[in-house]
Amino acid sequence: MFSVAIVEDDDRFAVTIREYLERYGRENGQEFKITWFPDGAAIADGYRGGFDIILMDIEMGLMNGMEAAAEIRKLDEEVTIIFITNMAQYAIQGYSVHALDYVLKPVSYVALSQSIKKAVNRIDKQTDDYILVSFKNGMAKLRARDILWVESQGHRLLFHTESGCIETTVYSMREIEEKLAPNGFLRASSGVLVNLSKVTGTKNGFVEVGGQYLPVSRGRKNAFMSALVRHMVE
């Protein structure tokens, strides 16, 4: 699953872009989690990351797309940015924020799908780390970046992913921790292994991941929070 932000102040264009993304997903076997922001300031202010692709209009009211992209780049060097604009000369400025591509308005499905394909291929090359897990009825090949957290329950391991939960009894938590450590995973407690890239907040000794609050044990709190901060600013 790819997490996509649409930053567009015109409701009609935003709806069209969403429809094109959903069509691309159906035709190419891709799944998109889509979030809409009505202005550049809406995504840039308090930006927390977590997006794979940002489709950014350039000409907007409170904060234009170029300004928003510059702010985002201070915090996130990896997210793929595609500009949407009425005028090609504006898009040329996108090189300053390492934009992948630009699409001219009025947006056509063909033009957008070509940019999305380019973005998906780029992301897959950057993040093609997979983990193969066995469970009761077969095996699953999981992309590391799609795993939210891994939970130990007795002799079972639960892999909480963007698209659901997979239960396995084959691996130990220590073995999975070693496999996923290079991908930014860290234990919040003895029974919970968290993907630091998926943390969206902290509160009273808990971290928010995928809409759930997971406890951070007292003994691991300092090391975990320090690693989380480093991960967010890298």
Side-chain angles (χ1 to χ4, degrees):
M1 177 182 288
F2 295 90
S3 181
V4 181
I6 298 173
V7 188
E8 171 61 68
D9 62 352
D10 188 313
D11 294 7
R12 295 169 302 168
F13 280 123
V15 169
T16 297
I17 293 168
R18 175 183 284 273
E19 291 174 348
Y20 286 168
L21 279 171
E22 292 171 346
R23 175 181 169 184
Y24 181 92
R26 291 192 301 270
E27 293 179 354
N28 295 275
Q30 300 287 354
E31 202 172 346
F32 297 106
K33 178 184 177 183
I34 303 170
T35 306
W36 172 54
F37 296 90
D39 190 88
I43 187 172
D45 291 348
Y47 180 79
R48 290 182 175 176
F51 295 109
D52 299 302
I53 303 169
I54 299 177
L55 298 170
M56 181 87 75
D57 186 19
I58 290 183
E59 298 170 271
M60 294 181 288
L62 294 177
M63 178 185 285
N64 69 45
M66 204 62 67
E67 293 170 338
E71 291 301 311
I72 289 169
R73 276 289 178 247
K74 294 176 182 178
L75 303 171
D76 190 341
E77 295 182 356
E78 299 299 324
V79 64
T80 298
I81 297 175
I82 298 172
F83 282 118
I84 299 173
T85 179
N86 287 311
M87 303 180 71
Q89 60 262 39
Y90 288 144
I92 295 172
Q93 301 174 35
Y95 290 112
S96 66
V97 292
H98 308 293
L100 174 69
D101 205 355
Y102 69 91
V103 180
L104 288 175
K105 290 183 177 180
V107 179
S108 71
Y109 173 70
V110 172
L112 184 67
S113 64
Q114 289 174 344
S115 289
I116 294 299
K117 181 178 181 180
K118 188 186 297 186
V120 167
N121 288 340
R122 176 187 182 186
I123 294 166
D124 280 341
K125 287 179 182 178
Q126 291 175 336
T127 56
D128 59 354
D129 291 326
Y130 290 87
I131 182 170
L132 191 65
V133 297
S134 301
F135 55 99
K136 185 176 181 181
N137 297 315
M139 302 185 73
K141 188 178 181 182
L142 302 180
R143 186 183 281 118
R145 67 181 178 85
D146 288 338
I147 301 171
L148 301 173
W149 77 91
V150 183
E151 178 182 2
S152 174
Q153 290 192 352
H155 297 292
R156 301 178 299 154
L157 287 183
L158 304 181
F159 288 78
H160 297 267
T161 74
E162 297 277 7
S163 56
C165 184
I166 295 175
E167 177 183 326
T168 176
T169 58
V170 176
Y171 303 99
S172 69
M173 180 63 91
R174 181 180 295 277
E175 184 178 359
I176 294 301
E177 181 180 20
E178 291 175 354
K179 287 178 179 289
L180 291 176
N183 299 99
F185 283 73
L186 189 67
R187 284 212 213 188
S189 64
S190 60
V192 175
L193 180 67
V194 173
N195 184 346
L196 297 179
S197 296
K198 300 299 183 180
V199 174
T200 54
T202 62
K203 184 178 181 180
N204 298 329
F206 289 77
V207 289
E208 184 179 7
V209 185
Q212 300 290 320
Y213 281 93
L214 308 175
V216 180
S217 66
R218 184 176 300 176
R220 298 176 187 266
K221 183 177 179 180
N222 289 339
F224 184 90
M225 292 302 178
S226 296
L228 177 60
V229 170
R230 289 196 303 271
H231 188 83
M232 293 176 68
V233 300
E234 286 176 352

